[in-house]
Amino acid sequence: MGATVNSFMSNSLILCLSFTILLACSDVSHASRTRYYKFDIIMKNYTRLCQTRSIVTVNGQFPGPKIVVRDEDRLVVKVTNHVKDNVTLHWHGVRQLQSGWADGPAYVTQCPIQNGQTYVYNFTIRGQRGTLFWHAHISWLRVTLYGPIVVLPKKGVPYPFPKPYKEVPILFGEWFNSDPEAIIAQSLQSGGGPNVSDAYTINGLPGPLYNCSAKDTFKLKVKPGKTYLLRIVNAALNDELFFSIANHTLTIVDVDASYIKPLDTQILLITPGQTTDVLLQTKSQSPHATFLMAARPYATGQGTFDNSTVAGLLEYSPTSHMKSLPLLKPTLPALNDSAFATNFTSELRSLANEQFPANVPKHIDRQFFFTVGLGAEPCPKNQTCQGPNGTKFAAAVNNVSWTLPTTALLQAHYFGNWSKVYTTDFPVNPPFPFNYTGTPPNSTFVSNGTKVVVLDFNTSVELVMQDTSILGAESHPLHLHGYDFFVVGQGIGNFDPTKDRAKFNLIDPVARNTVGVPSGGWVAIRFFADNPGVWLMHCHLEVHTSWGLRMAWVVNDGPLPSQKLFPPPSDLPRC
């Protein structure tokens, strides 16, 4: 890997020396940088809620290290696994143009990194700026294996909003007092819902509203009259979250590393897998108060969930006698406030200007209609199951519940032996149409398989995702690997192709990599299939992913060299 980088630098230097025009030389030498990180996967003891547990970490840090890059930089991350669990890392939201081998989902783009093995993730950030994050992408290991990716604009390119005085990552997560791997293993065996987390966290800290946690509180110390950029990430395992800071307005300027038209709000909603950059303008003078920043779940399903609140403190300085100051608390929506969720998401708009255009597909080559939701599987003989009516919980897209292969799909695609690993008959429409948000069908059973949709390079795609009420309507944050997509429409009830498509926003729809399918409703997205490879799409509520709510898109190479998947790296892990 290092030889490749050195060769690139040498060739750039030769190129510069061969030109007599100084400008041309400076363009090459300042094109981009290569940034190196070393991630050692190790166990480390951490104590939260007065419970000490040995957790999987990167470099002993929880949350993990912050990565800082600029748009067009190359990132080289050497990952060595020192723990018993198999590990992969996903660079969530990174387009991975031609570099699908670095995307990270286990058995999709790579086999896992086993104990004692090393794998180098090598990719370039292209045309993105804002906040993304990295996390484990195998089983439930991402509960502690995650960290922020700060993508700055190219050198000399300003933000399209006021330059902040300071930038602060805010990462939401979940803490379990017991081993999450044991929790999901037990759930999959019994067929019932898994135990929920014991706390939510802000930057790894539960905060003062939890037992034994006042000392473990995130504190954001600010100065009066300053603008702060908060880079907010929802790295929680299974919960969408409302977030607010008492008596302060947040101005959203970027979501999922795409700029948007500035939007003022007192409360924001963020699903697992989403990022939101907000400007926080502090009071002009010290207000002689401390302000609670709080997050709690937006929960629409019928299952149990962690119904608690994580809090941190916004403290102005200089202020003496902090303990004697009044503590002001924010008001958050009701746990199931779907009206707020719908209104909030519909207000987000792409910047869509000359510098940052919204290239929305207008002509569509292929249309897809996917149902997403829960279902059931029969209980095996001689076993008692704890799912609905004695069955096992399952989840599906178009009634197909994903079967995890034992060989990585991308390798099978690249080397042409895919017929032994997956089939290309994923249904483009629901196999059995029904009243998706009304009376459920008689049978709630799902089918199983490793099925994909195959797309030619640069196909323009429209996908409508429809929630179902088979086992209760529920919001599902769907994440598409390898792509940003435009959210052109959403609504409540069943999608009506004639009426609803006429209302699509094709001018300035927000660009995202993760979108919430509304509870009892639908969402429509569009994108160009301009990135060759195999790309997973799944619910970012980890329990639903475990139950099978995932599928994959295979995008074939285009005719040009810049439209073809790179060959696999020599250190790609083997199954």
Side-chain angles (χ1 to χ4, degrees):
M1 196 63 61
T4 304
V5 175
N6 290 336
S7 172
F8 170 80
M9 294 174 66
S10 300
N11 290 340
S12 297
L13 183 60
I14 293 168
L15 185 62
C16 278
L17 293 174
S18 67
F19 281 98
T20 56
I21 303 172
L22 181 62
L23 180 61
C25 188
S26 66
D27 282 348
V28 173
S29 61
H30 290 94
S32 63
R33 283 182 54 185
T34 300
R35 299 176 188 265
Y36 297 89
Y37 288 83
K38 190 174 188 300
F39 279 17
D40 286 301
I41 312 294
I42 61 173
M43 304 301 295
K44 182 77 180 291
N45 282 349
Y46 272 83
T47 302
R48 297 289 185 269
L49 312 178
C50 282
Q51 300 283 322
T52 300
R53 195 163 67 79
S54 183
I55 64 174
V56 185
T57 70
V58 167
N59 301 345
Q61 300 177 41
F62 171 66
K66 177 173 70 174
I67 286 177
V68 181
V69 295
R70 289 192 181 276
D71 184 15
E72 303 298 336
D73 279 354
R74 176 188 245 177
L75 190 57
V76 178
V77 186
K78 182 179 181 181
V79 179
T80 302
N81 184 11
H82 302 276
V83 305
K84 63 178 177 58
D85 297 290
N86 289 343
V87 171
T88 70
L89 295 184
H90 170 52
W91 317 92
H92 184 110
V94 174
R95 285 290 318 272
Q96 297 291 2
L97 290 163
Q98 301 180 266
S99 55
W101 307 103
D103 191 44
Y107 302 106
V108 178
T109 61
Q110 67 167 98
C111 300
I113 308 169
Q114 300 175 34
N115 174 265
Q117 291 184 343
T118 294
Y119 180 48
V120 177
Y121 291 92
N122 180 2
F123 55 91
T124 299
I125 307 290
R126 297 186 192 172
Q128 296 182 282
R129 52 212 74 78
T131 306
L132 299 170
F133 70 117
W134 59 265
H135 63 77
H137 212 299
I138 184 169
S139 192
W140 278 22
L141 289 184
R142 75 175 180 86
V143 69
T144 56
L145 283 178
Y146 64 89
I149 302 175
V150 174
V151 184
L152 301 171
K154 295 178 187 176
K155 195 90 170 171
V157 177
Y159 293 130
F161 48 81
K163 184 179 179 181
Y165 170 72
K166 191 176 181 182
E167 303 184 10
V168 183
I170 304 283
L171 280 74
F172 296 120
E174 291 186 74
W175 174 266
F176 290 79
N177 284 334
S178 54
D179 179 13
E181 289 302 284
I183 290 174
I184 185 56
Q186 192 274 335
S187 169
L188 293 176
Q189 195 277 329
S190 72
N195 291 343
V196 301
S197 59
D198 295 283
Y200 299 108
T201 58
I202 298 177
N203 292 346
L205 302 171
L209 304 183
Y210 291 103
N211 177 50
C212 191
S213 299
K215 69 181 188 309
D216 293 324
T217 299
F218 173 71
K219 296 179 180 179
L220 176 57
K221 298 182 184 296
V222 299
K223 294 181 178 180
K226 301 290 186 184
T227 300
Y228 292 79
L229 178 64
L230 307 184
R231 297 179 173 273
I232 303 172
V233 176
N234 188 347
L237 209 60
N238 290 313
D239 295 273
E240 304 182 42
L241 295 169
F242 294 118
F243 174 68
S244 183
I245 302 177
N247 289 36
H248 287 75
T249 297
L250 305 173
T251 302
I252 306 174
V253 293
D254 189 301
V255 296
D256 292 1
S258 292
Y259 293 135
I260 68 165
K261 293 179 173 68
L263 176 65
D264 290 342
T265 185
Q266 267 67 50
I267 302 163
L268 63 85
L269 172 64
I270 184 167
T271 79
Q274 289 184 339
T275 64
T276 306
D277 288 1
V278 302
L279 296 179
L280 169 68
Q281 181 65 46
T282 58
K283 313 285 186 187
S284 58
Q285 294 182 331
S286 186
H288 300 292
T290 300
F291 302 89
L292 208 66
M293 59 174 77
R296 76 175 183 198
Y298 166 53
T300 54
Q302 297 181 348
T304 57
F305 61 95
D306 181 352
N307 183 13
S308 63
T309 303
V310 62
L313 297 175
L314 179 72
E315 297 179 345
Y316 279 77
S317 61
T319 301
S320 57
H321 311 298
M322 194 70 74
K323 290 183 179 179
S324 63
L325 293 175
L327 178 62
L328 304 182
K329 301 178 181 179
T331 301
L332 290 167
L335 294 165
N336 61 350
D337 194 342
S338 292
F340 177 92
T342 300
N343 292 336
F344 176 82
T345 53
S346 64
E347 289 181 341
L348 300 173
R349 293 283 187 271
S350 283
L351 208 49
N353 58 20
E354 188 175 343
Q355 187 178 5
F356 302 104
N359 296 317
V360 187
K362 303 293 198 301
H363 169 77
I364 297 299
D365 297 321
R366 297 190 65 183
Q367 292 178 331
F368 299 88
F369 184 76
F370 290 177
T371 55
V372 294
L374 302 187
E377 291 181 338
C379 189
K381 290 183 178 180
N382 303 319
Q383 182 180 335
T384 301
C385 292
Q386 298 172 3
N389 301 315
T391 64
K392 301 183 78 166
F393 269 115
V397 182
N398 271 356
N399 208 50
V400 179
S401 188
W402 178 266
T403 301
L404 196 66
T406 54
T407 301
L409 270 61
L410 188 59
Q411 287 169 279
H413 163 67
Y414 185 84
F415 291 109
N417 58 351
W418 56 267
S419 61
K420 301 176 182 178
V421 181
Y422 61 81
T423 61
T424 59
D425 57 346
F426 188 90
V428 299
N429 290 293
F432 308 105
F434 62 98
N435 182 0
Y436 306 114
T437 56
T439 304
N442 292 331
S443 174
T444 62
F445 288 151
V446 301
S447 64
N448 299 92
T450 309
K451 298 174 183 287
V452 306
V453 171
V454 179
L455 297 171
D456 289 332
F457 184 83
N458 218 31
T459 298
S460 56
V461 175
E462 177 186 285
L463 167 63
V464 176
M465 292 179 282
Q466 171 77 58
D467 182 37
T468 68
S469 57
I470 290 177
L471 291 179
E474 185 170 0
S475 175
H476 297 278
L478 264 290
H479 172 52
L480 175 59
H481 288 231
Y483 287 89
D484 289 330
F485 49 75
F486 291 102
V487 184
V488 296
Q490 64 172 19
I492 301 301
N494 295 338
F495 176 69
D496 184 318
T498 304
K499 293 180 181 178
D500 292 328
R501 193 170 277 122
K503 301 174 188 174
F504 282 179
N505 173 15
L506 304 181
I507 306 301
D508 61 352
V510 67
R512 304 214 72 135
N513 62 60
T514 305
V515 66
V517 179
S519 176
W522 57 271
V523 67
I525 67 173
R526 289 186 175 189
F527 63 95
F528 288 105
D530 59 358
N531 191 10
V534 179
W535 305 106
L536 188 66
M537 190 176 79
H538 62 97
C539 182
H540 223 274
L541 304 181
E542 209 61 39
V543 60
H544 292 173
T545 301
S546 300
W547 286 342
L549 210 165
R550 43 185 161 175
M551 57 80 64
W553 305 82
V554 173
V555 180
N556 290 323
D557 282 350
L560 302 177
S562 63
Q563 299 170 346
K564 297 182 187 301
L565 178 68
F566 293 143
S570 59
D571 62 342
L572 187 71
R574 298 182 180 183
C575 291

